[in-house]
Amino acid sequence: MSARKYSTRIRIPEPMEVRLTETEEQLCTLLDECTHRLKEDQGVHTACRIAGGWVRDKLLGSDSNDIDVALEDMMGVPFAESFVSHCAKKKLATKQVARIESNPDQSKHLETARTTILGIELDFVNLRSEEYTANSRIPTQVAFGTPLQDALRRDITINALFYNVHTREVEDHTEKGLEDLRTGTIRTPLAPRETFLDDPLRVIRCVRFASRFGFDLVLELANAARDPEIQEALASKISRERVGEELDKMMKGRDPLGAIALIHDLSLYSSIFDVPTSSPIKLSAPLASENTALAAALILHSLLRDDSSALSQPSAIQLAPVHPLLLSGLSADSTTRQRLFLACALTPYRGVTCLDAKQKEHAGVSAALREALKLGVQNHYSDGIPALFSASDLLHGPVLGEWGERHVESERVRTGLLLREKAVHNPITGSMWATSLLFSLVQHLVPLYDVANDRIDEEAAGLLIRAYNTFTSRVDELGLQSMVEARPILDGRDIVRVLGASSPGAWVGPVLSRVIEWQLDHPAGSKEECETWLLSEHAAGRVSTQASIPAGKRKENSAAGATKKVKKA
């Protein structure tokens, strides 16, 4: 099964050419003038080339406001300081030059100078050549290099192009970059095995750019990426922060499904997603097959797809459409899509738990986010993704009518309370009840997908989608959407005031749950009516301003209190 079938290549303009904006034209003129001034005033000879991504994107017809300037035989900081001085003499607004120290773990092998001119952020660094040892991705020697040497040390040919600001021409020193851009090819400037062993992070970058543009990996590169030695180097030599950063860009990108499919096709899953063996965290069980990650992503992609969608990739499978409310979370929060696809990629962790240093149990997916990818709360990854899996476990039964014990009789209240569970709906973690339902459906469909034969049990899938649509329709009919998303009619401060308590405490939570239950059962009720009801419940002894402490815990607290008194005495 080829990952290519799930992606569509971007449109390549014809002809490919760099068309400068007025501001970019002015910037190139300023850089050219600065080099002439350095030569005349200080006898310093240098040349400026814009390198890498800006050149590639301009050739593809896209604009970029982030420019890397590569310098011949000159370090970035002194040139940047001269450049800022030159611009200041022309009465242009300038910013102080920031020195960014080299940091090999962050793929910064040389000192960089950064400033902003004409509203464009500029990084200045010298052209360089690098040498590596066999056991480290940190170069042992970094020296001034020629444009060819600098181009050859880059990750892929389409990122090794230069734009000479003096001649206003694109330079393709590898003699492959322009052709690879035209044909949609991902290729390393040097032999891929050599390139990847020098810096294994480049394997992941190849996946990212291939998925971003819908380009094809050359066979030699794909084979090198599957090499166990290179995969071991990727797992052991690259900081997990850098792995997580690249994966984050894939999930935010044009084609997260294509990225997950490539990771699967190249057998990179364990190198990227497995909790490192050096981590103190141990999982309760082996992970499920990595096929489940691809299955979940394929199913999600199919459910999200419609004729008006911005997604241009072909759908591998055709599923019945879902209720429109299930897709509402994607427009409500721009981070929802990338969070859902990353959660799909972590499907093999479902049902696996782990113990932390204090022997407290956590979901295995939390360990993957923290230890394997080093992703925090940005885009609600570390808080929102574990919630998606928890919500999936909560929602399976009720959606299919398997409610278990029904301590609350009203369907409206039962359904509302379920959807207001923190794992299901909690804006603080980016969780929306509709998105939680959608992800639960995806997880429910995963066992029906046969990745090896690229097919799904359409009849069983149709029944499941129908069940989720029916449940969502009932939510809509009962008018629960606004109620679930609304704030409680009384907050904690209101409850303390109404009940005349001296201070808030653990008792507020259970009382707030009762308030929410009343609110769901009285959708037209006013705040004053709720306060009256709460007072009557308190008078009848059905709510209390005292925290309920289990007997065992009371003994512990009493013992702790006695110990404190003795110490104080």
Side-chain angles (χ1 to χ4, degrees), residues 11 28 33 48 80 94 112 116 136 230 245 259 267 282 328 348 353 364 367-368 392 402 435 452 459 527 532 556:
R11 186 186 65 83
C28 288
E33 290 174 349
C48 297
T94 62
T112 304
T116 301
S136 174
I230 290 172
E245 181 181 331
S267 302
K282 304 304 176 186
S328 60
T353 60
S392 177
E402 302 164 0
T435 303
E459 183 178 355
K527 184 174 182 178
T532 300
E556 291 176 17

Side-chain angles (χ1 to χ4, degrees), residues 353-372:
T353 60
C354 64
L355 297 176
D356 63 17
K358 297 181 179 179
Q359 298 301 296
K360 184 178 180 181
E361 189 175 65
H362 299 275
V365 68
S366 296
L369 289 161
R370 291 197 313 269
E371 301 295 326

